[in-house]
Structure formats: C-alpha cells, structure tokens
Amino acid sequence: MALTKADIINTVQADEGLTKQQSTDIIETLIEIIKSTLQSGEDVLISGFGKFCIRDKNERKGRNPATGDDLMLAPRRVVTFKCSGKLRDRIN
Amino acid sequence: MNKADLADALSEANGLTKTEAKVIVDTFFNEMVETLARGERVEIRGFCSFYVKQYKPYVGRNPKTGETVQISPKKLPYFKCGKELKERVDY
C-alpha cells in the first residue's frame, strides 16, 4: 500500500497529540510552502532525503508516439529530484 | 530553501513553535524514507509520488579516465512530479 497524505496526517496527529483538523492544516500548509517555493524558482534541499530542483528545459523536437508525427516541444520548467546518499543507502 | 527554513516558514504560518515545526517536518520526510526503505510507494496528490526502481547491473565507463567499470544492480527512488505542482512550476 502506498503512503498517502492521510497516513502522514494520522502519524502527525498521534505523535503530536493534535486534532485531525490541526494536523491536516499543518501538513497542507507544509506541502503548500514547498510548492510555492518551487513555483518561485527556488530549489528545496532536504538533508537526508534529497533535493527538489527546478530545471529549465529548452525547446526540442519530439514525436507523437501514437501517430509518429514530428512536433516541437515548447521550452518548459520542470521539477527534478536528486536523491540524497542517505536515502539511497536506506533503500539498498 | 533547506529543511530548517522550511520548519521556520511552517512555524510562522501555523503558529507552531520552531521545535514543533521541526519535529513535524522531520516526521513528514521520515515517513517517506521508511516507506521507500520497505520498497513501497509514496503518493502525495498534487505534489509528487515516488516508487523504488530496480536498476540492472551494467558495464559503465569512467568518463574522465575511460576505464570500464562494472556497475552493480541498485535501487533508486523514482520521482514523479504531481499534476498541480507541474502546472504551477511551468511558465
């Protein structure tokens, strides 16, 4: 089973002795802070976990995999993730 | 922004003490680490999801010296950006 936001909210609620509403608000706020930081173009570095990076991608030629048609992919800005060494060690 | 900045921003936004905010930020990421360490998926709607991807062994090359090196099989977290985040970050 995948870990979801609801699972994290439950853990925070139990650990901190908060109400469901309080822990929901806190986790929603936390996620919103991360998202707006990334939206502003700033990277988010979480030691022991990894780094959420903002990368600008240039325009490039692509292909529609269904039809095989050539098309131009517009320049865009994306989020990438660089795994920390600690997390990599935990997984292996 | 690093983890300490994140905890500070959270304490300001929610009226938590800095210590409480720090504990919650740690819990948030620790839960994800523990889940991935068990090989399970993480899915935070609108933000991102992660799953553990198994990579096969392969023969690589040191780009500096040109020497061939054997890369052993490994597992890495695979990050997928959530739809809402993807749309908000793109211009």
Side-chain angles (χ1 to χ4, degrees), chain B residues 42-86:
Chain B
V42 174
E43 185 177 315
I44 315 285
R45 289 282 161 90
F47 177 47
C48 67
S49 64
F50 289 97
Y51 70 90
V52 178
K53 197 170 179 175
Q54 173 79 53
Y55 290 85
K56 288 182 188 144
Y58 62 94
V59 180
R61 205 176 271 275
N62 180 332
K64 212 177 260 175
T65 63
E67 285 170 73
T68 59
V69 278
Q70 182 65 39
I71 311 286
S72 33
K74 61 187 170 188
K75 289 176 186 170
L76 287 175
Y78 179 82
F79 166 83
K80 190 159 189 276
C81 185
K83 198 176 173 199
E84 191 211 326
L85 179 60
K86 194 171 171 178

mmCIF file of all heavy atoms in Angstrom, chain B residues 42-86:
data_model
loop_
_atom_site.group_PDB
_atom_site.id
_atom_site.type_symbol
_atom_site.label_atom_id
_atom_site.label_comp_id
_atom_site.label_asym_id
_atom_site.label_seq_id
_atom_site.Cartn_x
_atom_site.Cartn_y
_atom_site.Cartn_z
ATOM 1 N N VAL B 42 5.113 6.033 -2.415
ATOM 2 C CA VAL B 42 4.630 7.219 -1.719
ATOM 3 C C VAL B 42 3.824 8.012 -2.729
ATOM 4 O O VAL B 42 4.259 8.164 -3.878
ATOM 5 C CB VAL B 42 5.800 8.099 -1.207
ATOM 6 C CG1 VAL B 42 5.294 9.402 -0.617
ATOM 7 C CG2 VAL B 42 6.648 7.343 -0.196
ATOM 8 N N GLU B 43 2.648 8.475 -2.329
ATOM 9 C CA GLU B 43 1.840 9.242 -3.274
ATOM 10 C C GLU B 43 1.173 10.412 -2.560
ATOM 11 O O GLU B 43 0.286 10.225 -1.750
ATOM 12 C CB GLU B 43 0.786 8.327 -3.899
ATOM 13 C CG GLU B 43 -0.010 9.023 -4.970
ATOM 14 C CD GLU B 43 -1.010 8.087 -5.638
ATOM 15 O OE1 GLU B 43 -0.630 6.949 -5.966
ATOM 16 O OE2 GLU B 43 -2.166 8.488 -5.803
ATOM 17 N N ILE B 44 1.667 11.608 -2.811
ATOM 18 C CA ILE B 44 1.094 12.825 -2.235
ATOM 19 C C ILE B 44 0.430 13.574 -3.377
ATOM 20 O O ILE B 44 1.116 14.215 -4.181
ATOM 21 C CB ILE B 44 2.181 13.716 -1.570
ATOM 22 C CG1 ILE B 44 3.151 12.914 -0.707
ATOM 23 C CG2 ILE B 44 1.541 14.856 -0.782
ATOM 24 C CD1 ILE B 44 2.654 12.447 0.624
ATOM 25 N N ARG B 45 -0.894 13.507 -3.459
ATOM 26 C CA ARG B 45 -1.639 14.125 -4.562
ATOM 27 C C ARG B 45 -1.325 15.605 -4.699
ATOM 28 O O ARG B 45 -1.288 16.318 -3.703
ATOM 29 C CB ARG B 45 -3.156 13.969 -4.328
ATOM 30 C CG ARG B 45 -3.655 12.570 -4.500
ATOM 31 C CD ARG B 45 -3.801 12.211 -5.972
ATOM 32 N NE ARG B 45 -3.833 10.761 -6.112
ATOM 33 C CZ ARG B 45 -4.945 10.038 -6.086
ATOM 34 N NH1 ARG B 45 -6.110 10.619 -5.937
ATOM 35 N NH2 ARG B 45 -4.892 8.729 -6.219
ATOM 36 N N GLY B 46 -1.081 16.034 -5.933
ATOM 37 C CA GLY B 46 -0.831 17.435 -6.211
ATOM 38 C C GLY B 46 0.600 17.857 -5.962
ATOM 39 O O GLY B 46 1.004 18.953 -6.304
ATOM 40 N N PHE B 47 1.386 16.953 -5.332
ATOM 41 C CA PHE B 47 2.775 17.280 -5.023
ATOM 42 C C PHE B 47 3.700 16.351 -5.801
ATOM 43 O O PHE B 47 4.319 16.775 -6.787
ATOM 44 C CB PHE B 47 2.996 17.213 -3.517
ATOM 45 C CG PHE B 47 4.409 17.456 -3.067
ATOM 46 C CD1 PHE B 47 5.143 18.525 -3.576
ATOM 47 C CD2 PHE B 47 5.007 16.633 -2.132
ATOM 48 C CE1 PHE B 47 6.454 18.737 -3.176
ATOM 49 C CE2 PHE B 47 6.313 16.849 -1.719
ATOM 50 C CZ PHE B 47 7.037 17.899 -2.246
ATOM 51 N N CYS B 48 3.796 15.124 -5.400
ATOM 52 C CA CYS B 48 4.651 14.184 -6.122
ATOM 53 C C CYS B 48 4.410 12.769 -5.651
ATOM 54 O O CYS B 48 3.772 12.545 -4.632
ATOM 55 C CB CYS B 48 6.120 14.548 -5.920
ATOM 56 S SG CYS B 48 6.668 14.317 -4.220
ATOM 57 N N SER B 49 4.924 11.819 -6.396
ATOM 58 C CA SER B 49 4.918 10.431 -5.949
ATOM 59 C C SER B 49 6.298 9.840 -6.183
ATOM 60 O O SER B 49 7.080 10.355 -6.991
ATOM 61 C CB SER B 49 3.838 9.628 -6.669
ATOM 62 O OG SER B 49 4.115 9.569 -8.044
ATOM 63 N N PHE B 50 6.596 8.793 -5.423
ATOM 64 C CA PHE B 50 7.883 8.107 -5.529
ATOM 65 C C PHE B 50 7.634 6.614 -5.557
ATOM 66 O O PHE B 50 6.751 6.120 -4.861
ATOM 67 C CB PHE B 50 8.734 8.350 -4.267
ATOM 68 C CG PHE B 50 9.274 9.731 -4.125
ATOM 69 C CD1 PHE B 50 8.610 10.661 -3.338
ATOM 70 C CD2 PHE B 50 10.457 10.105 -4.737
ATOM 71 C CE1 PHE B 50 9.112 11.948 -3.170
ATOM 72 C CE2 PHE B 50 10.974 11.383 -4.575
ATOM 73 C CZ PHE B 50 10.298 12.300 -3.794
ATOM 74 N N TYR B 51 8.407 5.901 -6.359
ATOM 75 C CA TYR B 51 8.461 4.453 -6.182
ATOM 76 C C TYR B 51 9.900 4.011 -6.324
ATOM 77 O O TYR B 51 10.741 4.751 -6.852
ATOM 78 C CB TYR B 51 7.512 3.718 -7.137
ATOM 79 C CG TYR B 51 7.897 3.736 -8.598
ATOM 80 C CD1 TYR B 51 8.704 2.726 -9.134
ATOM 81 C CD2 TYR B 51 7.438 4.735 -9.446
ATOM 82 C CE1 TYR B 51 9.042 2.734 -10.477
ATOM 83 C CE2 TYR B 51 7.770 4.758 -10.789
ATOM 84 C CZ TYR B 51 8.573 3.758 -11.297
ATOM 85 O OH TYR B 51 8.907 3.770 -12.620
ATOM 86 N N VAL B 52 10.194 2.817 -5.819
ATOM 87 C CA VAL B 52 11.560 2.316 -5.860
ATOM 88 C C VAL B 52 11.756 1.557 -7.161
ATOM 89 O O VAL B 52 11.015 0.632 -7.471
ATOM 90 C CB VAL B 52 11.856 1.413 -4.647
ATOM 91 C CG1 VAL B 52 13.269 0.859 -4.736
ATOM 92 C CG2 VAL B 52 11.666 2.189 -3.359
ATOM 93 N N LYS B 53 12.742 1.984 -7.916
ATOM 94 C CA LYS B 53 13.004 1.380 -9.209
ATOM 95 C C LYS B 53 14.276 0.532 -9.116
ATOM 96 O O LYS B 53 15.282 0.982 -8.571
ATOM 97 C CB LYS B 53 13.183 2.494 -10.243
ATOM 98 C CG LYS B 53 13.062 2.030 -11.664
ATOM 99 C CD LYS B 53 13.005 3.222 -12.595
ATOM 100 C CE LYS B 53 12.912 2.762 -14.025
ATOM 101 N NZ LYS B 53 12.741 3.871 -14.957
ATOM 102 N N GLN B 54 14.183 -0.667 -9.647
ATOM 103 C CA GLN B 54 15.329 -1.575 -9.628
ATOM 104 C C GLN B 54 16.141 -1.382 -10.911
ATOM 105 O O GLN B 54 15.577 -1.452 -12.006
ATOM 106 C CB GLN B 54 14.817 -3.022 -9.526
ATOM 107 C CG GLN B 54 15.883 -4.083 -9.665
ATOM 108 C CD GLN B 54 16.675 -4.273 -8.375
ATOM 109 O OE1 GLN B 54 16.105 -4.490 -7.310
ATOM 110 N NE2 GLN B 54 17.992 -4.189 -8.461
ATOM 111 N N TYR B 55 17.434 -1.111 -10.777
ATOM 112 C CA TYR B 55 18.306 -0.973 -11.939
ATOM 113 C C TYR B 55 19.179 -2.208 -12.083
ATOM 114 O O TYR B 55 19.712 -2.716 -11.096
ATOM 115 C CB TYR B 55 19.177 0.283 -11.820
ATOM 116 C CG TYR B 55 18.372 1.557 -11.961
ATOM 117 C CD1 TYR B 55 17.736 2.111 -10.852
ATOM 118 C CD2 TYR B 55 18.235 2.171 -13.196
ATOM 119 C CE1 TYR B 55 16.969 3.272 -10.981
ATOM 120 C CE2 TYR B 55 17.484 3.331 -13.328
ATOM 121 C CZ TYR B 55 16.858 3.877 -12.224
ATOM 122 O OH TYR B 55 16.103 5.012 -12.352
ATOM 123 N N LYS B 56 19.314 -2.707 -13.318
ATOM 124 C CA LYS B 56 20.121 -3.907 -13.576
ATOM 125 C C LYS B 56 21.609 -3.555 -13.551
ATOM 126 O O LYS B 56 21.973 -2.406 -13.757
ATOM 127 C CB LYS B 56 19.765 -4.476 -14.949
ATOM 128 C CG LYS B 56 18.406 -5.135 -14.981
ATOM 129 C CD LYS B 56 18.146 -5.717 -16.373
ATOM 130 C CE LYS B 56 16.717 -6.209 -16.450
ATOM 131 N NZ LYS B 56 16.128 -5.982 -17.759
ATOM 132 N N PRO B 57 22.452 -4.564 -13.330
ATOM 133 C CA PRO B 57 23.893 -4.290 -13.403
ATOM 134 C C PRO B 57 24.274 -3.973 -14.846
ATOM 135 O O PRO B 57 23.644 -4.470 -15.777
ATOM 136 C CB PRO B 57 24.518 -5.612 -12.969
ATOM 137 C CG PRO B 57 23.483 -6.641 -13.207
ATOM 138 C CD PRO B 57 22.160 -5.960 -13.032
ATOM 139 N N TYR B 58 25.254 -3.153 -15.040
ATOM 140 C CA TYR B 58 25.718 -2.849 -16.388
ATOM 141 C C TYR B 58 27.188 -2.456 -16.352
ATOM 142 O O TYR B 58 27.727 -2.145 -15.288
ATOM 143 C CB TYR B 58 24.869 -1.743 -17.038
ATOM 144 C CG TYR B 58 24.902 -0.410 -16.333
ATOM 145 C CD1 TYR B 58 25.802 0.589 -16.728
ATOM 146 C CD2 TYR B 58 24.042 -0.136 -15.270
ATOM 147 C CE1 TYR B 58 25.832 1.816 -16.097
ATOM 148 C CE2 TYR B 58 24.064 1.090 -14.619
ATOM 149 C CZ TYR B 58 24.962 2.065 -15.040
ATOM 150 O OH TYR B 58 24.989 3.272 -14.400
ATOM 151 N N VAL B 59 27.822 -2.501 -17.522
ATOM 152 C CA VAL B 59 29.212 -2.095 -17.610
ATOM 153 C C VAL B 59 29.250 -0.618 -17.975
ATOM 154 O O VAL B 59 28.766 -0.226 -19.033
ATOM 155 C CB VAL B 59 29.982 -2.928 -18.658
ATOM 156 C CG1 VAL B 59 31.432 -2.482 -18.736
ATOM 157 C CG2 VAL B 59 29.911 -4.409 -18.312
ATOM 158 N N GLY B 60 29.780 0.179 -17.088
ATOM 159 C CA GLY B 60 29.850 1.615 -17.334
ATOM 160 C C GLY B 60 31.275 2.019 -17.635
ATOM 161 O O GLY B 60 32.163 1.179 -17.762
ATOM 162 N N ARG B 61 31.473 3.297 -17.764
ATOM 163 C CA ARG B 61 32.792 3.798 -18.096
ATOM 164 C C ARG B 61 33.046 5.060 -17.276
ATOM 165 O O ARG B 61 32.168 5.896 -17.140
ATOM 166 C CB ARG B 61 32.824 4.126 -19.595
ATOM 167 C CG ARG B 61 34.176 4.083 -20.213
ATOM 168 C CD ARG B 61 34.040 4.334 -21.704
ATOM 169 N NE ARG B 61 33.822 3.110 -22.475
ATOM 170 C CZ ARG B 61 34.819 2.331 -22.888
ATOM 171 N NH1 ARG B 61 36.059 2.616 -22.589
ATOM 172 N NH2 ARG B 61 34.569 1.267 -23.614
ATOM 173 N N ASN B 62 34.224 5.165 -16.740
ATOM 174 C CA ASN B 62 34.591 6.401 -16.056
ATOM 175 C C ASN B 62 34.821 7.467 -17.120
ATOM 176 O O ASN B 62 35.746 7.339 -17.920
ATOM 177 C CB ASN B 62 35.866 6.154 -15.228
ATOM 178 C CG ASN B 62 36.302 7.413 -14.480
ATOM 179 O OD1 ASN B 62 36.033 8.526 -14.912
ATOM 180 N ND2 ASN B 62 36.976 7.213 -13.363
ATOM 181 N N PRO B 63 33.983 8.482 -17.159
ATOM 182 C CA PRO B 63 34.084 9.449 -18.254
ATOM 183 C C PRO B 63 35.409 10.217 -18.260
ATOM 184 O O PRO B 63 35.835 10.715 -19.299
ATOM 185 C CB PRO B 63 32.900 10.399 -18.010
ATOM 186 C CG PRO B 63 32.403 10.118 -16.653
ATOM 187 C CD PRO B 63 32.915 8.794 -16.218
ATOM 188 N N LYS B 64 36.060 10.291 -17.122
ATOM 189 C CA LYS B 64 37.319 11.030 -17.033
ATOM 190 C C LYS B 64 38.486 10.209 -17.575
ATOM 191 O O LYS B 64 39.284 10.686 -18.367
ATOM 192 C CB LYS B 64 37.569 11.411 -15.571
ATOM 193 C CG LYS B 64 38.324 12.725 -15.427
ATOM 194 C CD LYS B 64 38.502 13.112 -13.979
ATOM 195 C CE LYS B 64 37.505 14.158 -13.520
ATOM 196 N NZ LYS B 64 37.608 14.440 -12.094
ATOM 197 N N THR B 65 38.566 8.937 -17.131
ATOM 198 C CA THR B 65 39.730 8.120 -17.490
ATOM 199 C C THR B 65 39.439 7.149 -18.633
ATOM 200 O O THR B 65 40.353 6.604 -19.232
ATOM 201 C CB THR B 65 40.194 7.297 -16.278
ATOM 202 O OG1 THR B 65 39.125 6.407 -15.917
ATOM 203 C CG2 THR B 65 40.520 8.178 -15.096
ATOM 204 N N GLY B 66 38.149 6.900 -18.919
ATOM 205 C CA GLY B 66 37.814 5.965 -19.986
ATOM 206 C C GLY B 66 37.859 4.512 -19.557
ATOM 207 O O GLY B 66 37.586 3.616 -20.342
ATOM 208 N N GLU B 67 38.219 4.258 -18.283
ATOM 209 C CA GLU B 67 38.256 2.884 -17.787
ATOM 210 C C GLU B 67 36.848 2.309 -17.708
ATOM 211 O O GLU B 67 35.913 3.013 -17.327
ATOM 212 C CB GLU B 67 38.815 2.853 -16.355
ATOM 213 C CG GLU B 67 40.309 3.055 -16.242
ATOM 214 C CD GLU B 67 40.691 3.259 -14.779
ATOM 215 O OE1 GLU B 67 40.660 2.288 -14.019
ATOM 216 O OE2 GLU B 67 40.989 4.411 -14.422
ATOM 217 N N THR B 68 36.698 1.027 -18.017
ATOM 218 C CA THR B 68 35.381 0.415 -17.849
ATOM 219 C C THR B 68 35.221 -0.010 -16.393
ATOM 220 O O THR B 68 36.166 -0.475 -15.758
ATOM 221 C CB THR B 68 35.192 -0.815 -18.757
ATOM 222 O OG1 THR B 68 36.207 -1.758 -18.433
ATOM 223 C CG2 THR B 68 35.273 -0.447 -20.212
ATOM 224 N N VAL B 69 34.042 0.165 -15.892
ATOM 225 C CA VAL B 69 33.733 -0.256 -14.517
ATOM 226 C C VAL B 69 32.431 -1.043 -14.510
ATOM 227 O O VAL B 69 31.504 -0.738 -15.258
ATOM 228 C CB VAL B 69 33.601 0.949 -13.545
ATOM 229 C CG1 VAL B 69 34.948 1.414 -13.060
ATOM 230 C CG2 VAL B 69 32.839 2.100 -14.166
ATOM 231 N N GLN B 70 32.374 -2.052 -13.653
ATOM 232 C CA GLN B 70 31.166 -2.848 -13.501
ATOM 233 C C GLN B 70 30.247 -2.130 -12.504
ATOM 234 O O GLN B 70 30.659 -1.851 -11.387
ATOM 235 C CB GLN B 70 31.536 -4.246 -12.991
ATOM 236 C CG GLN B 70 30.361 -5.184 -12.833
ATOM 237 C CD GLN B 70 29.684 -5.522 -14.165
ATOM 238 O OE1 GLN B 70 30.344 -5.706 -15.179
ATOM 239 N NE2 GLN B 70 28.366 -5.559 -14.147
ATOM 240 N N ILE B 71 29.042 -1.794 -12.933
ATOM 241 C CA ILE B 71 28.078 -1.161 -12.037
ATOM 242 C C ILE B 71 27.150 -2.245 -11.507
ATOM 243 O O ILE B 71 26.493 -2.939 -12.294
ATOM 244 C CB ILE B 71 27.241 -0.071 -12.760
ATOM 245 C CG1 ILE B 71 28.128 0.894 -13.565
ATOM 246 C CG2 ILE B 71 26.337 0.664 -11.799
ATOM 247 C CD1 ILE B 71 28.919 1.878 -12.757
ATOM 248 N N SER B 72 27.124 -2.400 -10.190
ATOM 249 C CA SER B 72 26.283 -3.454 -9.613
ATOM 250 C C SER B 72 24.809 -3.038 -9.618
ATOM 251 O O SER B 72 24.497 -1.867 -9.726
ATOM 252 C CB SER B 72 26.754 -3.781 -8.199
ATOM 253 O OG SER B 72 27.262 -2.637 -7.585
ATOM 254 N N PRO B 73 23.898 -4.029 -9.517
ATOM 255 C CA PRO B 73 22.475 -3.682 -9.514
ATOM 256 C C PRO B 73 22.156 -2.760 -8.349
ATOM 257 O O PRO B 73 22.792 -2.853 -7.299
ATOM 258 C CB PRO B 73 21.773 -5.024 -9.344
ATOM 259 C CG PRO B 73 22.803 -5.969 -8.879
ATOM 260 C CD PRO B 73 24.112 -5.469 -9.361
ATOM 261 N N LYS B 74 21.234 -1.857 -8.535
ATOM 262 C CA LYS B 74 20.912 -0.915 -7.465
ATOM 263 C C LYS B 74 19.448 -0.530 -7.526
ATOM 264 O O LYS B 74 18.783 -0.717 -8.551
ATOM 265 C CB LYS B 74 21.797 0.327 -7.584
ATOM 266 C CG LYS B 74 21.603 1.068 -8.883
ATOM 267 C CD LYS B 74 22.584 2.195 -9.077
ATOM 268 C CE LYS B 74 22.491 2.720 -10.501
ATOM 269 N NZ LYS B 74 23.529 3.682 -10.810
ATOM 270 N N LYS B 75 18.991 0.028 -6.425
ATOM 271 C CA LYS B 75 17.624 0.538 -6.364
ATOM 272 C C LYS B 75 17.702 2.033 -6.113
ATOM 273 O O LYS B 75 18.517 2.481 -5.314
ATOM 274 C CB LYS B 75 16.865 -0.112 -5.206
ATOM 275 C CG LYS B 75 16.537 -1.560 -5.426
ATOM 276 C CD LYS B 75 15.875 -2.106 -4.189
ATOM 277 C CE LYS B 75 15.663 -3.593 -4.288
ATOM 278 N NZ LYS B 75 15.244 -4.129 -2.994
ATOM 279 N N LEU B 76 16.855 2.788 -6.806
ATOM 280 C CA LEU B 76 16.801 4.231 -6.586
ATOM 281 C C LEU B 76 15.347 4.680 -6.513
ATOM 282 O O LEU B 76 14.489 4.071 -7.143
ATOM 283 C CB LEU B 76 17.499 4.972 -7.744
ATOM 284 C CG LEU B 76 19.022 4.913 -7.820
ATOM 285 C CD1 LEU B 76 19.505 5.599 -9.074
ATOM 286 C CD2 LEU B 76 19.653 5.557 -6.590
ATOM 287 N N PRO B 77 15.086 5.748 -5.753
ATOM 288 C CA PRO B 77 13.721 6.267 -5.753
ATOM 289 C C PRO B 77 13.458 6.976 -7.066
ATOM 290 O O PRO B 77 14.288 7.748 -7.531
ATOM 291 C CB PRO B 77 13.708 7.244 -4.576
ATOM 292 C CG PRO B 77 15.113 7.663 -4.405
ATOM 293 C CD PRO B 77 15.975 6.536 -4.889
ATOM 294 N N TYR B 78 12.316 6.688 -7.688
ATOM 295 C CA TYR B 78 11.951 7.356 -8.924
ATOM 296 C C TYR B 78 10.903 8.403 -8.585
ATOM 297 O O TYR B 78 9.879 8.104 -7.981
ATOM 298 C CB TYR B 78 11.413 6.341 -9.940
ATOM 299 C CG TYR B 78 10.988 6.985 -11.225
ATOM 300 C CD1 TYR B 78 11.922 7.291 -12.201
ATOM 301 C CD2 TYR B 78 9.652 7.313 -11.440
ATOM 302 C CE1 TYR B 78 11.534 7.914 -13.367
ATOM 303 C CE2 TYR B 78 9.258 7.941 -12.611
ATOM 304 C CZ TYR B 78 10.210 8.237 -13.570
ATOM 305 O OH TYR B 78 9.812 8.861 -14.724
ATOM 306 N N PHE B 79 11.199 9.654 -8.938
ATOM 307 C CA PHE B 79 10.334 10.789 -8.609
ATOM 308 C C PHE B 79 9.405 11.111 -9.762
ATOM 309 O O PHE B 79 9.839 11.170 -10.904
ATOM 310 C CB PHE B 79 11.220 11.999 -8.299
ATOM 311 C CG PHE B 79 10.515 13.324 -8.264
ATOM 312 C CD1 PHE B 79 9.858 13.736 -7.119
ATOM 313 C CD2 PHE B 79 10.538 14.170 -9.363
ATOM 314 C CE1 PHE B 79 9.216 14.976 -7.075
ATOM 315 C CE2 PHE B 79 9.897 15.408 -9.325
ATOM 316 C CZ PHE B 79 9.235 15.807 -8.176
ATOM 317 N N LYS B 80 8.139 11.273 -9.446
ATOM 318 C CA LYS B 80 7.205 11.740 -10.474
ATOM 319 C C LYS B 80 6.491 12.961 -9.919
ATOM 320 O O LYS B 80 5.900 12.909 -8.839
ATOM 321 C CB LYS B 80 6.206 10.640 -10.826
ATOM 322 C CG LYS B 80 5.376 10.967 -12.027
ATOM 323 C CD LYS B 80 4.777 9.703 -12.644
ATOM 324 C CE LYS B 80 4.120 10.009 -13.972
ATOM 325 N NZ LYS B 80 2.744 10.513 -13.824
ATOM 326 N N CYS B 81 6.599 14.055 -10.650
ATOM 327 C CA CYS B 81 6.009 15.319 -10.217
ATOM 328 C C CYS B 81 4.484 15.247 -10.318
ATOM 329 O O CYS B 81 3.962 14.739 -11.310
ATOM 330 C CB CYS B 81 6.563 16.418 -11.124
ATOM 331 S SG CYS B 81 6.056 18.061 -10.664
ATOM 332 N N GLY B 82 3.778 15.731 -9.307
ATOM 333 C CA GLY B 82 2.312 15.750 -9.326
ATOM 334 C C GLY B 82 1.790 16.758 -10.327
ATOM 335 O O GLY B 82 2.486 17.704 -10.699
ATOM 336 N N LYS B 83 0.549 16.542 -10.761
ATOM 337 C CA LYS B 83 -0.041 17.369 -11.818
ATOM 338 C C LYS B 83 -0.113 18.845 -11.427
ATOM 339 O O LYS B 83 0.272 19.715 -12.208
ATOM 340 C CB LYS B 83 -1.442 16.840 -12.145
ATOM 341 C CG LYS B 83 -1.950 17.324 -13.467
ATOM 342 C CD LYS B 83 -3.288 16.699 -13.786
ATOM 343 C CE LYS B 83 -3.858 17.333 -15.035
ATOM 344 N NZ LYS B 83 -5.295 17.106 -15.150
ATOM 345 N N GLU B 84 -0.606 19.113 -10.216
ATOM 346 C CA GLU B 84 -0.769 20.512 -9.809
ATOM 347 C C GLU B 84 0.588 21.216 -9.734
ATOM 348 O O GLU B 84 0.753 22.322 -10.236
ATOM 349 C CB GLU B 84 -1.481 20.594 -8.452
ATOM 350 C CG GLU B 84 -1.906 22.016 -8.114
ATOM 351 C CD GLU B 84 -1.903 22.313 -6.624
ATOM 352 O OE1 GLU B 84 -2.214 21.413 -5.831
ATOM 353 O OE2 GLU B 84 -1.554 23.453 -6.259
ATOM 354 N N LEU B 85 1.581 20.543 -9.124
ATOM 355 C CA LEU B 85 2.918 21.134 -9.000
ATOM 356 C C LEU B 85 3.521 21.393 -10.378
ATOM 357 O O LEU B 85 4.101 22.442 -10.637
ATOM 358 C CB LEU B 85 3.823 20.214 -8.166
ATOM 359 C CG LEU B 85 5.262 20.684 -7.976
ATOM 360 C CD1 LEU B 85 5.329 22.028 -7.264
ATOM 361 C CD2 LEU B 85 6.074 19.653 -7.197
ATOM 362 N N LYS B 86 3.357 20.406 -11.269
ATOM 363 C CA LYS B 86 3.889 20.506 -12.620
ATOM 364 C C LYS B 86 3.333 21.743 -13.331
ATOM 365 O O LYS B 86 4.073 22.508 -13.956
ATOM 366 C CB LYS B 86 3.463 19.243 -13.375
ATOM 367 C CG LYS B 86 4.151 18.983 -14.664
ATOM 368 C CD LYS B 86 3.739 17.599 -15.121
ATOM 369 C CE LYS B 86 4.178 17.300 -16.505
ATOM 370 N NZ LYS B 86 3.791 15.911 -16.868
#
